[in-house]
Amino acid sequence: MAVDYTVIVIYLAGMLAMGWWGMRRARSKSEFLVAGRRLGPAMYSGTMAAIVLGGASTIGGVGLGYQYGLSGAWMVFTIGLGLLALSVFFSARIARLKVYTVSEMLDLRYGGRAGVISGVVMWAYTLMLAVTSTIAYATIFDVLFDMNRTVAIILGGSIVVAYSTLGGMWSITLTDMVQFVVKTIGVLLLLLPIAVVKAGGFSEMKAKLPTAYFDPLGIGGETIFTYLLIYTFGMLIGQDIWQRVFTAGSDRTARWGGTVAGTYCLVYALAGAVIGTAAKVLYPGLGSPDDAFATIVKDELPVGVRGLVLAAALAAVMSTSSGALIACATVANNDIWSRLRGAVRPSGDSDSEDAHDEVRGNRVFILIMGLGVIGTAIALNNVVEALTVAYNLLVGGLLVPILGGLLWKRGTAQGALASVVVGGLAVVGLMAGYGILANEPVYYGLLSSLVAYLAVSLATPATDAAVLAAWRERLAGRGPEAASQPVPAAQ
């Protein structure tokens, strides 16, 4: 294992080094939170794919393949569909808004009344997303070093918190690009073909497994529908995803770069399901489907390759964890703390004389949120439940007012607030009644959010014409910084 350990240590040291390098570039709020809004297509595509394909997509995706066969690809597949929909239909308009958070977008659209409540819901989502990614370190470091769960969480979490705090989005972008390359090599180019060969090829896999393992709908229509509802729509509105859209250097980059990333996700989904199916042939009696990834890597891969594939799993977890962490800290600082202390600044990228203080303040929030995430991850055990709570709150509370604001001009601030409150409370209440993992909370929560939005919007005066006019100007890319000189995109 010495060679494998060396590969992992070099990888982790490289992540910290990039955090230090990113610190030198992040000298303004825009640079720190959205990488100066100047990523080019190559870097944007790689980092977008990295953030959406985390530990759940890698370890969990293989586990679903182990349990259900090829239809286990549906969870990650719906993530890719959501990213494609976001990129094709909404990303260009979102990037033109020149904001930092989803709540700022709601304020622009509805007239400045939705920020704190929507910020709290989004903060809860990003916190739980960061926690679930951080818990996954325990699985990987247990395979690598037979490490205690708490120590593994602290080690992995501390590295992510360190490079994220140092350089903000620049550090995260650079590390995500490396993580994207490592995942591509480790999972798609190495683990996938080796797993299939070790299982005897597709003909042998079909001979040894039930026919249901090769049925594209074998996981069940209701499960697929729930994945579409939670993950596809979740991709459209999550702060962690939008904050990456804000880094795009142009409309074209946001649209086409995101489309490439979404297509990559579809390929990654199928790869994970095939690897899991191969693991079922090799190890039919595993205690948990989520053990499939670690088992096949540990037992079937040669020295060195094993270290690289484990680094790929670590990369998957770190990319999602760091993206969720900076999103959580951005929402906590900009949407909650700043508003509660009455220091809300106008949206835009103009850097004032106290830009250094703004960067320092955001660093402090990343550090605080990071410590909170590590502590929460140590206290929690069930990754699936935490992730379900996160997506149920996001979709049930914020999907309707966000998409309504983008698509329906008659929506009002009162309708948006009612939608957030009614949908959020309905989801929480229904999870308490039906159980966290039940499908009903997100179904009925989303429906109640839609009814509240439509009814209250139609019963209240239309949004002020001046607010809508300013909103249309921002959507058209004629915001407060439109006259500034463009900065060359970073490829």
Side-chain angles (χ1 to χ4, degrees):
M1 292 290 288
V3 175
D4 296 325
Y5 292 161
T6 302
V7 171
I8 299 297
V9 169
I10 291 173
Y11 168 76
L12 294 176
M15 296 299 98
L16 291 174
M18 289 187 180
W20 182 263
W21 186 87
M23 182 177 66
R24 300 173 59 186
R25 300 199 63 166
R27 300 185 182 278
S28 69
K29 180 180 179 180
S30 175
E31 294 283 349
F32 190 82
L33 294 182
V34 290
R37 306 188 193 275
R38 56 195 184 96
L39 296 190
M43 190 171 286
Y44 179 87
S45 298
T47 57
M48 182 62 87
I51 188 177
V52 300
L53 296 173
S57 300
T58 304
I59 299 171
V62 172
L64 287 171
Y66 182 89
Q67 188 172 3
Y68 297 105
L70 298 186
S71 67
W74 272 106
M75 184 186 79
V76 183
F77 201 83
T78 56
I79 290 173
L81 292 178
L83 185 52
L84 285 170
L86 174 70
S87 301
V88 173
F89 299 113
F90 300 108
S91 63
R93 284 187 286 174
I94 292 170
R96 288 188 213 122
L97 292 174
K98 304 296 183 187
V99 295
Y100 292 102
T101 67
V102 174
S103 293
E104 286 184 25
M105 168 264 170
L106 291 173
D107 280 353
L108 281 171
R109 167 60 182 82
Y110 295 111
R113 302 174 189 173
V116 174
I117 295 177
S118 61
V120 169
V121 175
M122 188 63 77
W123 174 80
Y125 157 72
T126 54
L127 178 71
M128 284 295 100
L129 187 61
V131 165
T132 57
S133 300
T134 304
I135 291 173
Y137 295 129
T139 301
I140 298 169
F141 281 113
D142 178 56
V143 176
L144 285 171
F145 308 116
D146 194 24
M147 187 178 289
N148 174 271
R149 177 183 184 275
T150 299
V151 175
I153 288 172
I154 292 173
L155 175 60
S158 297
I159 293 171
V160 169
V161 171
Y163 73 69
S164 300
T165 302
L166 285 173
M169 187 59 82
W170 266 121
S171 293
I172 292 170
T173 297
L174 293 169
T175 54
D176 277 1
M177 197 63 198
V178 173
Q179 289 158 358
F180 169 74
V181 173
V182 171
K183 278 193 289 192
T184 301
I185 296 173
V187 175
L188 297 186
L189 302 184
L190 292 176
L191 181 58
L192 174 61
I194 290 174
V196 172
V197 170
K198 292 283 187 177
F202 285 104
S203 58
E204 188 71 13
M205 291 162 64
K206 287 184 176 181
K208 291 186 175 181
L209 293 174
T211 306
Y213 266 72
F214 301 92
D215 179 0
L217 303 179
I219 199 170
E222 185 178 354
T223 299
I224 294 171
F225 179 74
T226 302
Y227 285 158
L228 285 167
L229 200 60
I230 294 178
Y231 297 115
T232 301
F233 285 119
M235 287 294 106
L236 298 179
I237 58 175
Q239 169 68 24
D240 52 323
I241 308 302
W242 276 41
Q243 200 156 342
R244 293 309 174 94
V245 175
F246 299 152
T247 66
S250 66
D251 293 358
R252 182 179 177 84
T253 294
R255 183 179 294 112
W256 293 109
T259 300
V260 171
T263 304
Y264 178 90
C265 291
L266 303 183
V267 175
Y268 200 88
L270 185 58
V274 171
I275 293 168
T277 304
K280 184 67 175 180
V281 173
L282 296 168
Y283 312 99
L286 291 180
S288 168
D290 285 342
D291 293 336
F293 180 88
T295 303
I296 196 169
V297 169
K298 191 174 183 179
D299 293 349
E300 302 297 337
L301 299 185
V303 172
V305 173
R306 179 171 51 203
L308 183 59
V309 173
L310 287 172
L314 197 57
V317 175
M318 283 188 161
S319 57
T320 299
S321 181
S322 59
L325 176 59
I326 194 172
C328 180
T330 302
V331 170
N333 188 14
N334 288 265
D335 294 339
I336 301 175
W337 173 246
S338 293
R339 295 169 192 271
L340 292 178
R341 67 187 179 94
V344 183
R345 294 179 179 271
S347 300
D349 288 345
S350 55
D351 295 314
S352 60
E353 65 278 359
D354 59 347
H356 179 72
D357 291 337
E358 287 190 329
V359 171
R360 183 173 59 187
N362 281 293
R363 278 201 177 103
V364 169
F365 266 87
I366 290 179
L367 180 60
I368 294 172
M369 292 298 108
L371 294 175
V373 165
I374 291 172
T376 307
I378 292 172
L380 290 179
N381 283 314
N382 196 311
V383 179
V384 176
E385 287 190 359
L387 192 63
T388 302
V389 169
Y391 273 98
N392 282 354
L393 279 173
L394 178 70
V395 174
L398 290 178
L399 177 68
V400 170
I402 291 172
L403 293 189
L406 289 169
L407 300 173
W408 189 44
K409 67 179 181 179
R410 186 59 182 83
T412 66
Q414 294 89 342
L417 284 171
S419 179
V420 173
V421 173
V422 171
L425 291 177
V427 164
V428 172
L430 290 165
M431 283 192 294
Y434 285 97
I436 290 177
L437 298 180
N439 293 328
E440 287 84 358
V442 71
Y443 293 167
Y444 299 132
L446 186 57
L447 179 61
S448 63
S449 178
L450 177 61
V451 171
Y453 181 71
L454 293 174
V456 176
S457 290
L458 292 173
T460 51
T463 304
D464 186 86
V467 172
L468 289 177
W471 166 253
R472 286 192 292 269
E473 286 291 299
R474 292 295 283 269
L475 279 179
R478 296 188 291 268
E481 66 294 306
S484 63
Q485 290 294 324
V487 181
Q491 296 298 322

